Amino acid sequence: MAQASSSTIDKGGAVSIGVASLLSAASGYVALLLAARLLDVADNAIFLAYWSFMFFWFGILSGVSIETTRAVYVGRTAPDGPRVLGVGISFGAILGVLLLITSFWWSPALFGDQYGALGIVLSIAVVLYAGHATLIGALGGLTAWGSQALVIGADAVVRVALVAVSAIAFVSISGFAVGASLAVLTWVIMSILFPSVRAGWGARADVPLRTFSINIGHAVLAAAASAALVVGFPVLVRIASTDTVYLSSAPLLLAVSLTRAPLLIPLNAYQGVAVTYFLRNRSRGLRPLIPLSAVVLGLGVVGAALAWLIGPWLMAVLIRSSYALSGGVLAGLTFAAALLALLTLTGALTLALGKHGWYSFGWVLATLCSLAILFLPLPIEMRAILSLTVGPVVGVVVHLVALGPRATRSAPVEELA
């Protein structure tokens, strides 16, 4: 097994994760902009549904990743638990089979005439992505940040390359979807090429298989709620809207993705770093959270101001005039992304303190509140902003209740090498 670093992260590791997250954000931008330029508005709405639904399931599997980071980091001093990669892939296989079996029910409503092929591709992608999520979680737990960044960055580069090829060869919903999905094989290739990446295959959890599986269940439940808000929002809008409203909503849905990517994609890449940071400082209670929260909210305010001033112009220039939205809408969506980022941070601290139930409860309640707001009789832009603002605030409040002074003092504290 790879030797774990004694520190949470050094300057080189931070830079490598930062570069990987930028590549990941860029790949998403390129894919979404290519689809918006080459597909008509109705077809692009369907592609956005596929894209968000795919990353919704990838987001669910990020729960495996974040719990794996915690389990491997704590278990480095007593590596007697199960190998995490096998558990993670098994979990992904269960999800993939369930998706395939039920695809006849949900895929026609989401993907229209393309439902058959897209349902199969998505099911396979989910199984393979489970390996990616578990591996980067294991590398995070080993504090092998350079290797983790290598896998994340390579996945992003391969995805944008495959989407670009699909854009040239197959200007269709299916072509874009297959190109975006095939990148999930990247972690296998990187494991073959780099022994430092392959070292994550041997990582073990800190607890027996049954306990680890229960902890993963809590983390995945929270990740499902998180993914519904972070990447699955178009699906929530689809559920709460008529066909006419949804098929005309591509500009708003694209704006949701574009306004949150600059903050949430890097933060998601650093989630493993955040968990190990909170683990090493969990005797300090809420104090490690305060400076990080200030940075996130400050970036949200600055980003919202920029979105108000230049956002409408960028939407019209980068895409086309039919995608123009008001500065107020773009500013609201941008600040809502900062609140989602804050919820991600409070969740990471809650998980680090071993409060898996509170972690999942905060995320689930946030998602339910957001979904309920989407059914209000308001214009779709107002519903979207309120949904993405109120829901995360509710989740943050739940986590802060769990992280109050009494709960923090009762949390177990142990010295980690």
Side-chain angles (χ1 to χ4, degrees):
M1 183 182 297
Q3 198 70 18
S5 162
S6 61
S7 61
T8 302
I9 191 168
D10 57 16
K11 182 178 179 180
V15 170
S16 62
I17 294 291
V19 171
S21 68
L22 288 175
L23 287 173
S24 184
S27 71
Y29 273 120
V30 170
L32 293 174
L33 291 175
L34 280 174
R37 280 188 169 274
L38 297 176
L39 300 175
D40 62 38
V41 171
D43 282 349
N44 192 35
I46 298 298
F47 173 72
L48 287 171
Y50 178 85
W51 178 271
S52 68
F53 199 56
M54 179 182 73
F55 278 97
F56 168 73
W57 289 99
F58 289 1
I60 288 176
L61 290 169
S62 73
V64 177
S65 180
I66 192 171
E67 172 57 23
T68 297
T69 295
R70 188 209 63 78
V72 171
Y73 186 84
V74 176
R76 294 178 307 165
T77 56
D80 298 324
R83 293 185 187 274
V84 295
L85 188 62
V87 178
I89 293 177
S90 298
F91 195 89
I94 292 171
L95 287 183
V97 170
L98 288 175
L99 271 176
L100 186 61
I101 292 173
T102 60
S103 62
F104 73 92
W105 171 64
W106 52 261
S107 59
L110 284 177
F111 306 145
D113 294 340
Q114 309 284 333
Y115 74 91
L118 295 186
I120 294 172
V121 170
L122 180 64
S123 301
I124 295 172
V126 165
V127 177
L128 292 173
Y129 189 82
H132 169 93
T134 309
L135 181 60
I136 63 173
L139 293 172
L142 296 171
T143 63
W145 305 116
S147 298
Q148 187 193 66
L150 188 63
V151 176
I152 295 172
D155 177 83
V157 171
V158 170
R159 178 166 287 106
V160 75
L162 290 174
V163 168
V165 169
S166 300
I168 296 171
F170 311 104
V171 183
S172 66
I173 299 172
S174 297
F176 276 100
V178 171
S181 302
L182 284 178
V184 294
L185 285 168
T186 304
W187 70 272
V188 178
I189 298 171
M190 301 305 289
S191 295
I192 294 171
L193 295 177
F194 297 96
S196 62
V197 173
R198 195 162 58 249
W201 290 46
R204 293 181 180 272
D206 64 321
V207 290
L209 176 61
R210 182 175 182 276
T211 305
F212 183 49
S213 299
I214 292 172
N215 288 345
I216 282 181
H218 280 295
V220 164
L221 179 61
S226 167
L229 289 177
V230 175
V231 294
F233 191 70
V235 177
L236 298 184
V237 174
R238 177 73 157 163
I239 293 171
S241 304
T242 64
D243 287 345
T244 301
V245 171
Y246 179 77
L247 290 177
S248 64
S249 67
L252 176 66
L253 299 180
L254 183 60
V256 170
S257 296
L258 295 179
T259 53
R260 62 180 42 176
L263 185 57
L264 289 175
I265 289 180
L267 181 60
N268 287 335
Y270 278 101
Q271 267 201 93
V273 179
V275 169
T276 58
Y277 170 72
F278 289 140
L279 278 168
R280 291 183 63 84
N281 292 279
R282 55 182 172 174
S283 62
R284 299 176 59 207
L286 288 171
R287 282 175 291 176
L289 180 66
I290 295 172
L292 297 177
S293 300
V295 170
V296 164
L297 292 177
L299 289 174
V301 171
V302 173
L306 290 174
W308 188 300
L309 293 173
I310 65 173
W313 173 78
L314 284 175
M315 291 287 287
V317 170
L318 292 178
I319 308 171
R320 50 180 183 254
S321 58
S322 59
Y323 277 71
L325 291 171
S326 71
V329 170
L330 294 173
L333 294 176
T334 302
F335 189 72
L339 295 175
L340 269 175
L342 181 61
L343 178 56
T344 301
L345 286 176
T346 59
L349 179 55
T350 306
L351 186 68
L353 291 177
K355 300 179 180 298
H356 292 77
W358 282 100
Y359 170 63
S360 57
F361 179 59
W363 274 109
V364 170
L365 189 59
T367 302
L368 291 176
C369 289
S370 293
L371 180 58
I373 289 171
L374 287 176
F375 285 94
L376 293 176
L378 296 170
I380 189 170
E381 293 85 2
M382 181 62 69
R383 281 187 285 149
I385 293 171
L386 287 175
S387 173
L388 292 171
T389 301
V390 176
V393 170
V394 170
V396 167
V397 170
V398 170
H399 288 161
L400 291 179
V401 169
L403 296 170
R406 183 178 304 174
T408 301
R409 283 199 299 270
S410 65
V413 179
E414 60 186 279
E415 191 67 32
L416 296 171

